[in-house]
Structures are given as C-alpha cells and as structure tokens.
Amino acid sequence: MGQRVDRLHVQLSVGDDVVGVRVVGEVDVASVGVLRAALWAAPARPVLRVDLSGVRLLSAAGVRALVAAHLRVRARGGELVLADPDPVVARVLRATGLHRVVPVVQTLPTVPCPRGELAACA
C-alpha cells in the first residue's frame, strides 16, 4: 500500500509486531498530508518504524506530523522509531529536540555473503 504526491512517496509494510513506513522525497507543507495520512492509516502494532533514509527535506510541518504520530502511538501503548535519517534530516531532528523524545536509529547496511563462505556469515 502506498500514497504518492509529486515530491513525496510513502509506503507501508505491516508485520506482526512492526509497521514500517518508508518515506521518500520532501516533507513540507504541500506534501505533509500524504505522510500524515499514512501514519494515521498504520494499524496498531507495538512499533511504528518510519524509514527516513529517502527524505531530503523535513519541514516544521513534517516534524509536527511525527510528533502527533508519536503521541498517538504512545497513547496506544506502542513506540515510534525513526530510522536512518539523511544527515540534513538528522540535523532537523536534533535542532527541534525530537531526537530526545523519539528514538532515532541507524541500521547497519547488510553485506551479502560471498559465495562459498556461508558458514562465516551465519
């Protein structure tokens, strides 16, 4: 399931314990409605993980949408986690103090195992 505006694409993936929201593009006043709609459409799970690796711009409107999602998820007993923000977006999260309220994680890139060395990668 996904929603799209010219400058923003949001895709949901639903697991047993985690709902993943992948955001790509620019989150500003013109496109924040797409992000907000996706966050509100996410089914209740213990973790709502928002992948910000594809976000090039996060405006104050985007920060407000993330804060509102955090409050909503927390009220249901869950946790909002922001993953892999671009350095520019990470600066916005630090400047607004959102990184102190919502966990921001960096995931390690997966390295494929060379052929014949599966035992070393296991």
Side-chain angles (χ1 to χ4, degrees), residues 28-82:
D28 59 15
V29 70
S31 62
V32 73
V34 174
L35 175 61
R36 192 179 306 112
L39 294 172
W40 261 237
R45 297 291 188 274
V47 176
L48 177 59
R49 182 183 184 276
V50 181
D51 180 348
L52 297 173
S53 62
V55 176
R56 299 180 304 272
L57 173 109
L58 182 66
S59 72
V63 170
R64 282 191 304 273
L66 293 173
V67 169
H70 163 69
L71 294 172
R72 183 169 189 223
V73 169
R74 191 177 69 180
R76 296 189 304 198
E79 179 179 38
L80 176 69
V81 176
L82 305 177

Side-chain angles (χ1 to χ4, degrees), residues 96-117:
T96 60
L98 189 56
H99 73 293
R100 292 185 181 133
V101 178
V102 177
V104 179
V105 298
Q106 294 290 329
T107 57
L108 298 174
T110 56
V111 179
C113 288
R115 220 178 192 128
E117 296 183 26

Side-chain angles (χ1 to χ4, degrees), residues 5 8 10 13 17 19 25 27 31 35 62 74 85 107 109 119 121:
V5 165
L8 185 67
V10 179
S13 60
D17 295 327
V19 173
V27 182
S31 62
L35 175 61
R74 191 177 69 180
T107 57
C121 292

